[in-house]
Every structure is written in C-alpha cells, then in structure tokens.
Amino acid sequence: MSKKQDFSNQENSVINQSRRSFLKTAAATSTAAAIFGGVAPAFISSRVLASSGEVNVFSWSDYIWPDMMESFEKATGIKINLSTYGTNAEAFNKLKASNGTGFDVIFPTVTNGNNYYPFNLLQALDESKLNVDAVIPSVYESSISLGATRRGERFLLPFNWGTEAVTFDSSKRNYEFGQLSYADLWSEENAGMVTMRPKSALISLLLLMESRGEISTNRLADIYASEEQFNAAMDKAVEFAIANKSKVRLFWSNSSETTAAFKQNGCVIGQTWDGPGLTLQRESNNQFRYMMPKEGGLAWMDTMGIPSGAANVEQAYAFINHMLKPEVAAMHMNQSGYNASVIGAEEYIKPDVKAALQAAYPAEAVAGLWWWMTEPTWLNTAWQKHVDRFVAA
C-alpha cells in the first residue's frame, strides 16, 4: 500500500510523536530493514524522455559521490550537473535569489522547509511519480511534524538523517561514553585545540547549561516559542562563548573543513557531524572517535525537494527515485558516514561502516538525542545575529 495520504489530517496527530521514537525504530541502521521488511521495486519514471537529458542537482558537498552519479547516468542516460553548498543558509539564499530557478533537485534540512514555503521556492511533490515505499516508514512519518509538508501537501522527501556530537583524538584524550560532555569543548585542558560550528556550539551550550540547572527551557523547546525567549536564552550562551572564544582554534562550516581541523590543524576535540567524525574514525583505525556527549547529540534529517522553477522536472523525479535504491543509498553511507533513509541500504554497506554506526548509536545515546526543531519564520535572522556576535568577538 502506498504511503500517499491526507497529510492535512495526519500532521496534527503525528506532531506529538516523539522524535526520539523515530530513531529508536530506525536509527540503528543495521536493523532498520529487518524491522520494516523488504525492498520496494526499482521505480523510474517513464516520462524522463519528455524533456532534456540532464538534471541540475544542488547538494551538500559530501552527499553525491562519483559512483552514485555514474550509476544514475548509466541507468537513465541523464547527465547530472552537480553544484554543492556547505550550509542551509547558502542553499536557501541562492535559491531565493534566483526565485526558485537554476536547479532541479535540492537537499534542504527538513526543519528549514518553513523558510522556503513563504517564497514559493519549492513545488509540491507528485508522489505517484515517487517510490515513497522505499523510505523507512517511521522516517517518512516523522518528517511530517518536522516540516516536510505544508497545507496537506508534501514538498520534501527524506534522504538521510544524522547527528552532531563530539569527535576527539583518543591518542591524546581518553573520554568514555557517559562521561564525555560538551563541557570538554570548553575545558582548560583542551584550550586552543577545539573545532566547532558556531551555530551548533551555541545550542550545545544551552543543553549544557540546562543539564547544570542554569536555565530551564523544557530541553530547549521553550526557546522556539517566541523570538523574545530565543534571544534571552541565546544571550546567555553567546556571553559564555565569547568569554571562552580563545579556546577555539578553528570554526568549521562543512565536512572538509572538519576533517582538516583534526588531520592538518592540530585539533584534539571538536563538535562535528557524524559523517566526517565517523569517517575520521574509520580511516584512522579508531584513533579519532565520534561519541555522543552525556547531554545528548544533536539530530537532523535532510530531504530531497524540487525547486518551483525547475527546468527538468521529470529528470528530477528520476534522480530522486534513483537515490531511493538501497544499493545507491549504501554508496552514500559508505562514503559520507551518514545514515540513509532507505529500507535495505544496510545490506549493501561495508562492514567497517556498519560497525562504526553501531558503536556510535548505543541505546542510551539514541534515547538522549536532541532534534533540531521546526524553524519559525523569524528564526533565521535571530540566529544569524547571535552567530555573528560570537564569531566577530
């Protein structure tokens, strides 16, 4: 049975679903397919010949790899023109500047959907053209409350999910799960040897402050209720971050900068995405380790969408469906370190990738994840103000 449904009714019921319940079901990548059954058949649109033989893809820099492109072009005859970005803001601003034109597929973080919708930058997806049954059901359903739908229509389809936690050099630091804390990013021991992304560092600081009883925000849910509450909480985080900024050696904004911080620039510890963190772990034979802090890792979901001004719509559907093949999703997992949202992908991943994922997500770590929340329209401007204060200090 297709998952296509009346989202206008389901959005209200699913919004109360725990985001952590999605990960309890689907985060252990090695067991996702066993829980949800077999793989849906390949699904390629018969309409791809209706327009040009190319598709313009705008993706995160470590999402679409050469073997993925080769397999798509071989299967469909459609050429991929790939452009990449390093932040959600970069992707949004570029699409907004072009009024939704120039690209056929984009990969927004699901909680950013509300930024795109007011400007009509995305088009509603025709799910009759998509193999939605290839998506892990709990991931598909959880995306509704996170921002993938609007006014009863789906605009974003899950592509992958992942976390942001702490990576450290185990040859120099001996942290253990359950003891590692975001406080270690700001310790005197690690002063001058830390890397982080400013926006994430401020969120993790608030989680740290809440765990210490210094603030009370219902695990940060309250700060998204109004701009006033958000600013009040962020002022406290920024004040601390500025006072301790000298402990940070490098800020990063993408995966390549993250790995360079450890491999080339002498960082011993940092707050990183799981992709580069787990890649460092595998490539260094566990010298570098990616681990959830006791306050909880940060969790996110990225999606695929079609811009409103896409020139090659049928090719875009063909591309999205190709990304939903388990063997292609495994190519992404093997090289990026992130978790695919596709049933059966784990059957194709390499043993060391599977082992790294299992080690990164013990049950306690999964239960303690903090999900990035759906963004109100005022949040982007507010966020940038606080990030700029921290970086410029």
Side-chain angles (χ1 to χ4, degrees):
M1 180 179 294
S2 172
K3 299 188 188 75
K4 186 175 173 64
Q5 54 197 286
D6 181 1
F7 287 115
S8 60
N9 293 330
Q10 194 175 21
E11 280 173 331
N12 290 330
S13 62
V14 174
I15 198 165
N16 293 319
Q17 174 182 342
S18 166
R19 293 177 173 89
R20 291 195 297 272
S21 70
F22 145 55
L23 280 178
K24 288 177 182 177
T25 309
T29 310
S30 61
T31 62
I35 292 172
F36 293 114
V39 178
F43 192 104
I44 295 293
S45 173
S46 62
R47 303 179 181 89
V48 294
L49 299 179
S51 55
S52 70
E54 62 181 12
V55 61
N56 300 306
V57 177
F58 196 29
S59 164
W60 291 88
S61 60
D62 55 349
Y63 275 18
I64 308 302
W65 298 82
D67 54 351
M68 297 168 69
M69 297 175 64
E70 181 181 354
S71 68
F72 173 74
E73 293 176 357
K74 182 177 180 180
T76 66
I78 300 169
K79 178 185 177 183
I80 297 175
N81 301 315
L82 179 64
S83 302
T84 63
Y85 55 87
T87 69
N88 275 301
E90 180 185 351
F92 169 75
N93 289 333
K94 191 159 189 176
L95 202 62
K96 183 182 176 185
S98 68
N99 293 316
T101 64
F103 302 104
D104 304 312
V105 180
I106 193 169
F107 289 75
T109 298
V110 68
T111 50
N112 279 248
N114 285 342
N115 296 327
Y116 289 81
Y117 302 146
F119 299 98
N120 297 315
L121 298 178
L122 299 172
Q123 57 183 271
L125 297 174
D126 181 349
E127 293 191 87
S128 70
K129 298 180 181 180
L130 291 171
N131 184 19
V132 295
D133 291 328
V135 181
I136 296 170
S138 62
V139 179
Y140 182 88
E141 293 167 4
S142 292
S143 69
I144 299 170
S145 65
L146 294 172
T149 66
R150 186 191 191 210
R151 297 175 181 171
E153 294 185 292
R154 179 173 284 276
F155 288 78
L156 299 171
L157 190 71
F159 173 71
N160 67 359
W161 65 269
T163 59
E164 190 170 346
V166 176
T167 296
F168 62 92
D169 186 342
S170 67
S171 70
K172 298 178 180 178
R173 300 289 183 268
N174 186 29
Y175 299 117
E176 296 182 3
F177 177 70
Q179 298 179 354
L180 177 65
S181 168
Y182 286 124
D184 292 306
L185 298 170
W186 304 98
S187 69
E188 291 298 330
E189 177 186 37
N190 292 321
M193 296 179 287
V194 180
T195 187
M196 59 180 59
R197 185 172 73 138
K199 179 177 179 179
S200 300
L202 295 178
I203 280 288
S204 64
L205 264 175
L206 291 179
L207 289 173
L208 176 62
M209 290 176 176
E210 180 127 3
S211 72
R212 292 172 167 176
E214 297 171 7
I215 59 174
S216 179
T217 63
N218 188 25
R219 198 155 164 79
L220 308 194
D222 293 346
I223 72 172
Y224 284 76
S226 72
E227 189 169 359
E228 181 180 12
Q229 289 173 272
F230 180 83
N231 287 333
M234 278 298 159
D235 283 342
K236 295 179 181 179
V238 172
E239 181 181 1
F240 177 93
I242 289 175
N244 291 273
K245 187 182 176 186
S246 62
K247 296 175 181 175
V248 181
R249 174 169 291 191
L250 288 171
F251 290 124
W252 60 265
S253 62
N254 56 51
S255 295
S256 60
E257 291 175 359
T258 306
T259 55
F262 288 95
K263 296 173 72 173
Q264 301 169 21
N265 295 298
C267 288
V268 170
I269 190 171
Q271 186 172 346
T272 76
W273 287 323
D274 53 350
L278 290 172
T279 298
L280 280 166
Q281 182 170 321
R282 295 196 312 274
E283 292 179 347
S284 68
N285 195 26
N286 293 321
Q287 174 186 338
F288 296 105
R289 296 188 61 193
Y290 178 77
M291 185 179 293
M292 301 293 150
K294 61 184 180 181
E295 297 85 10
L298 314 183
W300 48 265
M301 180 194 298
D302 281 352
T303 61
M304 297 177 284
I306 300 178
S308 56
N312 305 292
V313 175
E314 299 304 330
Q315 285 75 11
Y317 279 109
F319 176 84
I320 292 172
N321 282 316
H322 195 75
M323 296 300 106
L324 296 177
K325 291 182 176 181
E327 62 271 27
V328 177
M331 294 176 189
H332 169 71
M333 293 178 67
N334 282 332
Q335 294 166 100
S336 71
Y338 302 118
N339 303 273
S341 297
V342 177
I343 296 171
E346 94 296 336
E347 296 178 12
Y348 296 89
I349 63 174
K350 298 175 181 178
D352 62 333
V353 175
K354 182 178 292 188
L357 289 170
Q358 288 174 332
Y361 299 109
E364 288 180 67
V366 169
L369 289 174
W370 179 87
W371 278 86
W372 286 97
M373 300 181 188
T374 304
E375 298 189 356
T377 54
W378 49 262
L379 189 63
N380 258 352
T381 301
W383 255 125
Q384 198 59 51
K385 177 185 71 173
H386 296 294
V387 168
D388 288 348
R389 285 172 56 208
F390 176 27
V391 174

